[in-house]
Amino acid sequence: MTTLFDSHRLGDLTLPNRVVMAPMTRVRAAAGGLATPSMATYYAQRATAGLIVTEGVQPSSIGQSNPGTPGLHTDEQVAAWRPVTAAVHANGGRLFAQLMHGGRVSHPDTTGMRPVGPSAVPAAGKVFTPTGLQPPPTPRALETSEVAEHARSYARAARRALDAGFDGVELHGANGYLISQFLSSNANLRTDRYGGSVANRIRFAVEAATATVEAVGASRTGVRLSPGGTFWGIREADVPALYAELITELARLQVAYVHLEATAGDEVLLGLRRAWPGALIMNPVLPMGPKQTGRAEADHWLGLGADLISFGRAFLSNPDLVERLRTGLPLAPVDEATYYQGGDAGYLTYPAYQHTA
Ligand SMILES: Cc1cc2nc3c(=O)[nH]c(=O)nc-3n(C[C@H](O)[C@H](O)[C@H](O)COP(=O)(O)O)c2cc1C
């Protein structure tokens, strides 16, 4: 039986194990969306992962969701990422940048621009801004002629990611951000070719993936999805058909992997596993749910046919997660208070397991 510690071929990479670090926004970038030396240390501490997927990175300035997140749309941002990718590679790791366009989950106080979305429907909840949480504004609905430009922004950022030394990119198609807004049936009320039918609702995701594959190659392109997820007020009609059609298109593009969140029942998820011929990264628990991914959930999903398992919170608080899982050492708990603040505290301060005599 496959274990977490077997190697796996992913695109052109050989991963030494099947433990993936899940993408986690940490809001510690410098002004201008620049990666920092602390970010290099943070990711390098976790380089024993089979693959690291970074925090969400904005592919354009209007695509920024939270303040303090890094970007991949300026030359300065590319230069700032280079020491991060070099540090991870020096420690023997591999990393993909998660490209995250926030769409309507954004604020003019953060970007200086009115957010855009498929339709003029605001997100539910409160968004982070430089002055604290605020209600999300009503986005400006993109004109039909503008949509392709936003799809291409992922591809341009992907090219910059490779320039910065990343091994590939993951398109953030989950959790209520722009791609997920297009997939939805209540954030997307469009009557043009990007809304309504399943074929139309997946079009933006497919255009973004196609452009990215053309820019950097299928072996360097992954896609994260949250079938049926309800983040930021998203609702999706026809979940099984929507994702089955999307998976068919991603299979045609031969992207390196699909990264699924456990936002639907096992029946839907297992159906997608059967329909997806490529590598599947499974994130086995509900994002921000009370229970975090651990060894039991990972083994369960490897048994159900996942190829790789992503760990979020456990990796945040255990830089040596792979070793702890391999040897059965206890996991350190995560401090929620420092998820999105605290500088190096709660970021670089989680130690590797301390063996005592
Ligand atoms: C602090 C924090 C930040 C997160 N940021 C992102 C993100 O930027 N992109 C994303 O796709 N998921 C994000 N997630 C969700 C995680 O990738 C993961 O799906 C979730 O934590 C559940 O997995 P776990 O139980 O292993 O933590 C975040 C989760 C946490 C805890």
Side-chain angles (χ1 to χ4, degrees), residues 22-25 56 98 172 224 283 285 288 292-293 312-313 339:
M24 281 179 288
T25 291
Q98 188 188 51
H172 196 343
R224 192 172 214 217
N283 184 236
V285 312
M288 301 305 178
Q292 69 178 42
T293 307
R313 289 161 285 186
Y339 276 176

Side-chain angles (χ1 to χ4, degrees), residues 59-345:
S60 58
S61 43
I62 200 167
Q64 181 172 8
S65 185
N66 292 307
T69 55
L72 267 169
H73 53 90
T74 69
D75 292 346
E76 294 71 30
Q77 290 164 352
V78 171
W81 276 115
R82 283 199 185 110
V84 179
T85 60
V88 171
H89 289 146
N91 279 11
R94 295 138 297 278
L95 77 173
F96 274 37
Q98 188 188 51
L99 301 180
M100 166 178 161
H101 188 315
R104 68 180 187 165
V105 184
S106 179
H107 199 281
D109 289 359
T110 302
T111 65
M113 285 171 269
R114 184 170 174 199
V116 294
S119 301
V121 181
K126 295 264 174 73
V127 292
F128 287 102
T129 75
T131 53
L133 289 169
Q134 296 195 50
T138 301
R140 181 177 69 77
L142 289 167
E143 301 292 337
T144 305
S145 58
E146 293 177 290
V147 176
E149 169 57 19
H150 285 267
R152 280 197 298 271
S153 72
Y154 292 89
R156 274 197 304 272
R159 218 174 287 123
R160 286 190 183 278
L162 260 54
D163 209 16
F166 284 98
D167 297 293
V169 297
E170 174 177 288
L171 304 189
H172 196 343
N175 300 3
Y177 299 108
L178 187 61
I179 290 175
S180 166
Q181 289 158 32
F182 271 94
L183 293 173
S184 96
S185 42
N186 67 345
N188 179 356
L189 306 177
R190 302 179 73 92
T191 53
D192 64 1
R193 54 203 289 272
Y194 292 101
S197 66
V198 161
N200 284 352
R201 282 192 281 137
I202 67 170
R203 194 178 307 281
F204 181 72
V206 174
E207 285 186 2
T210 303
T212 305
V213 165
E214 280 169 8
V216 299
S219 66
R220 298 180 187 276
T221 305
V223 179
R224 192 172 214 217
L225 301 171
S226 53
T230 56
F231 312 92
W232 300 106
I234 287 287
R235 291 290 180 276
E236 293 172 338
D238 320 307
V239 170
L242 183 70
Y243 284 89
E245 281 207 30
L246 181 52
I247 290 279
T248 301
E249 290 301 310
L250 296 177
R252 190 179 52 75
L253 289 169
Q254 296 183 306
V255 300
Y257 67 80
V258 165
H259 186 173
L260 281 185
E261 296 178 19
T263 40
D266 280 5
E267 208 177 306
V268 172
L269 298 173
L270 290 170
L272 295 175
R273 165 66 291 187
R274 283 191 293 274
W276 169 242
L280 175 70
I281 306 179
M282 190 66 209
N283 184 236
V285 312
L286 206 57
M288 301 305 178
K291 196 161 183 254
Q292 69 178 42
T293 307
R295 181 73 197 261
E297 294 75 21
D299 287 343
H300 178 69
W301 269 99
L302 286 177
L304 292 176
D307 300 293
L308 302 151
I309 306 292
S310 69
F311 295 77
R313 289 161 285 186
F315 231 134
L316 198 162
S317 55
N318 296 274
D320 55 342
L321 180 66
V322 176
E323 189 60 10
R324 292 199 198 209
L325 292 171
R326 201 176 61 76
T327 55
L329 291 168
L331 299 187
V334 71
D335 172 23
E336 288 184 30
T338 50
Y339 276 176
Y340 306 118
Q341 60 183 354
D344 288 349

Side-chain angles (χ1 to χ4, degrees), residues 11-85:
D12 303 330
L13 301 172
T14 300
L15 313 186
N17 60 66
R18 293 162 186 251
V19 179
V20 174
M21 180 175 168
M24 281 179 288
T25 291
R26 302 303 310 275
V27 191
R28 281 156 165 97
L34 303 184
T36 66
S38 289
M39 287 164 65
T41 304
Y42 168 72
Y43 285 115
Q45 284 177 342
R46 289 157 178 80
T48 49
L51 178 70
I52 292 171
V53 184
T54 69
E55 61 209 282
V57 177
Q58 54 265 14
S60 58
S61 43
I62 200 167
Q64 181 172 8
S65 185
N66 292 307
T69 55
L72 267 169
H73 53 90
T74 69
D75 292 346
E76 294 71 30
Q77 290 164 352
V78 171
W81 276 115
R82 283 199 185 110
V84 179
T85 60

